[in-house]
Amino acid sequence: MKCLISGSTGFIGSNLVRTLEQLGHTVVPIYNEKLLSRDYLAGFMKEVKPDYIFHLAAYGNMATHLDMDKMYEANVIKTFNLLVVSQSFDSKAFINFSTSSVLLPNQTFYSRTKRASELLIEQFPNTVSARPSTVIGIGEQKEHLIPKLIRSCLYQEEMPFIGEPTHDFISVNDLIRALLKIVDNMGLSEKQMNISTGKILSNQQILEIVEKLTGKKANIKYVENLRSYDTPEWKVDNTDILNLGWKPQESIEQTIASMIKAELWN
């Protein structure tokens, strides 16, 4: 199949591209700035004629992403443009990337813009919003918890740390397997598909796993709070994706071990 992917150079996008190409599919990236022009999109889509569209391009999921105008533009306007133009072509599915943070009690402007994109998606046929939980793996952003803990253990880089918040961690490889399962079962998929392990681990538990696997202690500085939306119960219901016959194959220890090896090789 021919797959059009926005956000193809990011952590999840680059892993998705690699997997699709290994499976023999043709991947066509589209650059984020081009999503602002419907005229360009119409011509591009007419030329490419994608079977599937994976829309991963976003802004706001990093601590340094603070520009609210960019969040709205990236997560709402660009999504709507690509969505509307895609309806003129015979694509089999449009997979929009949302986030499990839309389910949290404390919402941010980022999560609200992603929820807005979900509502737009609901209006059109052959569309699904994938809601991954906390995605981890090789190539993950260096500013995230596990990469920072790995460097703190290996190189004694000091980092602020709070142990109580939890996450439902899922490997990027398991996430991509879930996406392919959704593509294969578009008629059975819900409009929003939570993708997670259904289990929660605290930051403190992750710290202990990284220290065990590296054999070294992290250089951490305990703080009272890091993020307003963190919660001691960030568990994501994965019933719908399990019903499609998917289940996670990588343990948290396996994924972190592979991340440690990758860091040591660099």
Side-chain angles (χ1 to χ4, degrees), residues 59 66-77 109 113:
Y59 176 90
L66 302 174
D67 191 319
M68 295 173 72
D69 287 327
K70 285 185 178 180
M71 284 186 212
Y72 182 76
E73 177 182 84
N75 304 333
V76 180
I77 296 176
F109 189 74
T113 59

Side-chain angles (χ1 to χ4, degrees), residues 35-36 38 55 57-59 68-84 94 96-97 109-121:
L35 298 176
L36 286 174
R38 289 194 193 178
H55 178 46
Y59 176 90
M68 295 173 72
D69 287 327
K70 285 185 178 180
M71 284 186 212
Y72 182 76
E73 177 182 84
N75 304 333
V76 180
I77 296 176
K78 290 181 179 179
T79 299
F80 188 60
N81 285 346
L82 184 58
L83 181 60
V84 168
F94 185 110
N96 173 55
F97 256 64
F109 189 74
Y110 168 71
S111 64
R112 288 186 170 96
T113 59
K114 297 304 284 186
R115 178 57 183 147
S117 75
E118 291 185 358
L119 294 172
L120 294 174
I121 288 292

Side-chain angles (χ1 to χ4, degrees), residues 23-38:
L23 292 173
H25 304 304
T26 301
V27 175
V28 181
I30 184 166
Y31 298 107
N32 292 353
E33 64 271 15
K34 300 298 186 181
L35 298 176
L36 286 174
S37 172
R38 289 194 193 178

Side-chain angles (χ1 to χ4, degrees), residues 180-222:
L180 297 179
K181 184 66 71 172
I182 291 172
V183 165
D184 289 339
N185 294 273
M186 279 300 296
L188 301 175
S189 299
E190 301 293 332
K191 277 295 187 178
Q192 290 87 32
M193 294 292 293
N194 298 335
I195 305 175
S196 71
T197 65
K199 303 175 182 178
I200 60 173
L201 289 171
S202 68
N203 289 357
Q204 181 65 35
Q205 288 173 299
I206 294 297
L207 167 63
E208 293 168 4
I209 292 172
V210 175
E211 288 183 334
K212 178 182 178 181
L213 291 174
T214 59
K216 299 180 180 181
K217 288 290 184 181
N219 181 16
I220 58 175
K221 180 180 180 180
Y222 282 95

Side-chain angles (χ1 to χ4, degrees), residues 56-214:
L56 284 76
Y59 176 90
N61 58 339
M62 299 291 292
T64 55
H65 293 179
L66 302 174
D67 191 319
M68 295 173 72
D69 287 327
K70 285 185 178 180
M71 284 186 212
Y72 182 76
E73 177 182 84
N75 304 333
V76 180
I77 296 176
K78 290 181 179 179
T79 299
F80 188 60
N81 285 346
L82 184 58
L83 181 60
V84 168
V85 173
S86 71
Q87 297 305 301
S88 300
F89 301 90
D90 191 26
S91 298
K92 297 179 178 66
F94 185 110
I95 310 298
N96 173 55
F97 256 64
S98 185
T99 169
S100 65
S101 62
V102 301
L103 304 170
L104 293 177
N106 296 325
Q107 293 291 295
T108 64
F109 189 74
Y110 168 71
S111 64
R112 288 186 170 96
T113 59
K114 297 304 284 186
R115 178 57 183 147
S117 75
E118 291 185 358
L119 294 172
L120 294 174
I121 288 292
E122 289 182 14
Q123 187 67 32
F124 297 90
N126 301 320
T127 58
V128 172
S129 286
R131 290 176 177 164
S133 56
T134 303
V135 186
I136 63 172
I138 297 173
E140 186 181 349
Q141 292 88 340
K142 291 185 177 181
E143 297 84 357
H144 284 183
L145 173 67
I146 294 176
K148 289 179 73 172
L149 283 173
I150 290 172
R151 295 197 309 276
S152 183
C153 286
L154 294 178
Y155 315 126
Q156 288 300 292
E157 294 182 9
E158 185 181 75
M159 63 175 286
F161 182 79
I162 180 169
E164 292 78 11
T166 67
H167 297 270
D168 189 331
F169 294 95
I170 183 172
S171 79
V172 67
N173 296 322
D174 278 334
L175 168 62
I176 291 171
R177 293 184 190 104
L179 292 175
L180 297 179
K181 184 66 71 172
I182 291 172
V183 165
D184 289 339
N185 294 273
M186 279 300 296
L188 301 175
S189 299
E190 301 293 332
K191 277 295 187 178
Q192 290 87 32
M193 294 292 293
N194 298 335
I195 305 175
S196 71
T197 65
K199 303 175 182 178
I200 60 173
L201 289 171
S202 68
N203 289 357
Q204 181 65 35
Q205 288 173 299
I206 294 297
L207 167 63
E208 293 168 4
I209 292 172
V210 175
E211 288 183 334
K212 178 182 178 181
L213 291 174
T214 59

